């Protein structure tokens, strides 16, 4: 069933488990996300960035909404990294049931102002809002944040921000970063910071940049002709611990990008004569389903629907 972000995340925070919020850009990714959630009896969020909306528009949103409506588990459609009030409202008009306004690259006051505006409008329409305080490293779609400008979320500021904006859930910067190269070796996750923020707040917390970049997938990517440097993601146990402390929404995009590309490359390498799209995109869907299943087990959302 199609529900709001709060319907999924408030129980997740209370139950100390995480719910994957997976980025989609086409039908096969959407099917892999929702069908795996149904098979594992897991709530799930499907998210579209502004780039995905540019790429697939209402056509893609309708695929998500229809699958979500028919799903036997709770599914929310979420706007990832909404960059403006207009973008958030446009998504709500398209049928999104959860929207992020990401004004975290502004100063505190401007972030509060921008977030508050979206919260008031979205709540008037019964839609949940995610906002962000702190800055991740890596590339957030259109914003390149290099390490020196990244800053972790201050717990006291988070309390003020939540009070002043009324945001439903809050993305916090705790050491993760977007993309396949999350720092040299094992990225440092500031669990103490998560625990502190969670102890002072009661709303669901969000971790961006939470792909695990499984080495098995990276090796298959290279073996099938892909080229990638020394890619690294968030260790499963670090993510698992984060959900114990209060992280309820966990954003995953890179893992699905790698998994789908592995499926496609392997299909084409195995049979150069193949040109039936079902035999090329079908394997992508299968590899993504395996990666999604692993993530749901790490987050503890299996059986929670
Ligand atoms: O935070 C993310 C995705 O992060 P990854 O690059 O780690 O999948 N989307 O908003
Ligand atoms: Ca941001
Ligand atoms: Na988001
Ligand atoms: Zn993100």
């Amino acid at each position: 069933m199609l529900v709001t972000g709060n319907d999924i995340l408030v129980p997740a925070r209370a139950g100390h488990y995480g719910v994957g919020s997976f980025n989609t850009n086409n039908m096969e990714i959407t099917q892999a996300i929702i069908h795996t959630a149904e098979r594992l009896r897991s709530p799930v969020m499907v998210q579209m960035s502004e780039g995905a909306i540019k790429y697939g528009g209402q056509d893609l949103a309708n695929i998500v909404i229809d699958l979500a409506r028919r799903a036997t588990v709770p599914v929310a459609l979420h706007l990832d990294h909404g960059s403006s009030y207009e973008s958030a409202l446009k998504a709500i008009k398209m049928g999104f049931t959860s929207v992020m306004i990401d004004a975290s690259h502004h100063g505190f006051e401007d972030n509060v102002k921008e977030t508050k505006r979206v919260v008031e409008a979205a709540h008037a329409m019964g839609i949940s809002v995610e906002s962000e305080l702190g800055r991740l490293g890596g590339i957030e779609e259109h914003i390149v944040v290099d390490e020196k400008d990244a800053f972790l979320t201050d717990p006291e500021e988070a309390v003020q921000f939540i009070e002043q904006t009324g945001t439903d859930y809050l993305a916090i910067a705790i050491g993760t970063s977007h993309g396949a190269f999350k720092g040299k070796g094992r990225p440092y996750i500031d669990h103490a910071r998560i625990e502190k923020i969670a102890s002072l707040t009661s709303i669901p917390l969000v971790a961006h940049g939470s792909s695990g970049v499984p080495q098995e997938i990276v090796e298959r990517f290279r073996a099938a002709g892909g080229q990638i440097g020394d890619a690294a993601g968030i260790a499963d146990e670090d993510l698992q611990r984060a959900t114990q402390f209060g992280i309820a929404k966990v954003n995953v995009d890179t893992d699905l990008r790698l998994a789908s590309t592995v499926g496609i490359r392997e299909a084409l390498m195995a049979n150069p004569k193949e040109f039936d799209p079902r035999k090329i995109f079908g394997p992508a869907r299968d590899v993504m389903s395996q990666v999604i299943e692993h993530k749901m087990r790490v987050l503890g959302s299996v059986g929670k629907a």
Side-chain angles (χ1 to χ4, degrees), residues 181-188 215 230-235:
F181 311 99
K182 299 185 195 299
K184 295 277 158 277
R186 176 165 168 163
Y188 167 67
Q215 284 316 302
D230 55 346
I234 303 302

Side-chain angles (χ1 to χ4, degrees), residues 81 102 104 132 140:
H81 288 292
D102 180 358
S104 75
E132 187 172 36
E140 282 185 17

Side-chain angles (χ1 to χ4, degrees), residues 116-218:
K116 212 163 141 36
R117 271 183 88 204
V118 173
V119 167
E120 280 159 5
H123 283 186
M125 293 181 272
I127 301 301
S128 307
V129 179
E130 173 185 335
S131 53
E132 187 172 36
L133 188 65
R135 221 169 288 169
L136 278 78
I139 302 168
E140 282 185 17
E141 290 265 320
H142 32 275
I143 298 163
V144 178
V145 180
D146 57 31
E147 292 316 305
K148 67 174 177 18
D149 297 337
F151 62 78
L152 302 183
T153 305
D154 173 82
E156 301 301 332
E157 264 198 13
V159 174
Q160 293 307 315
F161 186 80
I162 291 166
E163 265 164 32
Q164 294 179 31
T165 60
T167 188
D168 294 301
Y169 21 105
L170 183 67
I172 52 176
I174 43 152
T176 60
S177 63
H178 289 105
F181 311 99
K182 299 185 195 299
K184 295 277 158 277
R186 176 165 168 163
Y188 167 67
I189 301 302
D190 192 339
H191 289 109
R193 187 178 298 270
I194 301 172
E195 195 171 17
K196 179 83 178 132
I197 295 171
S199 69
L200 299 172
T201 63
S202 58
I203 64 167
L205 301 172
V206 184
H208 281 242
S210 295
S211 277
V213 191
Q215 284 316 302
E216 182 240 341
I217 290 286
V218 174

